[in-house]
């Protein structure tokens, strides 16, 4: 998968740090069938790989429970792709500040 290979390359070039790497799942929006398949594949890899020290599942935080591949109507700016202010707040909810060691 190109995203995984690219991420592995970037991480191999980074100097060791005391924190990270972290990842966030790609949140839903209108997609082509091909784009949707890639988003699902990338999110599955982000959520299940041991590549990241922590994963912040922003996709789950803003998805419509009844339609997981869509933004929850409460968080939709109106175009089905971008979050409104409430969606931005919801996207921040999964961030674990202890994991970030701030």
């Amino acid at each position: 998968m190109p995203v995984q290979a690219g991420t592995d390359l970037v991480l191999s070039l980074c100097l060791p740090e005391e924190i990270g790497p972290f990842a966030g799942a790609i949140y839903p929006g209108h997609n082509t069938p091909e784009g949707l398949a890639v988003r699902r594949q990338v999110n599955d890899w982000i959520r299940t790989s041991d590549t990241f020290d922590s994963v912040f599942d922003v996709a789950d935080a803003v998805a419509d429970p009844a339609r997981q591949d869509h933004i929850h109507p409460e968080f939709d700016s109106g175009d089905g792709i971008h979050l409104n202010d409430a969606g931005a707040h919801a996207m921040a909810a999964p961030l674990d500040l202890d994991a970030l060691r701030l």
Side-chain angles (χ1 to χ4, degrees):
M1 174 174 32
V3 171
Q4 181 180 0
T7 301
D8 290 342
L9 174 62
V10 168
L11 294 177
S12 73
L13 298 173
C14 293
L15 295 174
E17 297 291 333
E18 291 186 24
I19 62 171
F22 305 108
I26 303 166
Y27 72 80
H30 291 288
N31 289 307
T32 63
E34 296 82 10
L36 180 58
V38 169
R39 184 181 74 83
R40 288 176 178 167
Q41 182 181 20
V42 170
N43 281 351
D44 183 57
W45 170 70
I46 288 171
R47 291 173 176 138
T48 61
S49 78
D50 61 357
T51 302
F52 306 102
D53 287 355
S54 189
V55 172
F56 308 117
D57 201 337
V58 297
D60 188 57
V62 301
D64 183 344
R67 302 176 323 143
Q68 285 290 309
D69 293 319
H70 298 271
I71 297 170
H72 192 289
E74 180 181 340
F75 303 138
D76 189 350
S77 68
D79 65 4
I81 300 171
H82 300 97
L83 300 174
N84 60 19
D85 289 345
H89 285 277
M91 190 169 67
L95 297 179
D96 178 0
L97 297 181
D98 289 334
L100 295 175
R101 299 182 194 115
L102 298 176

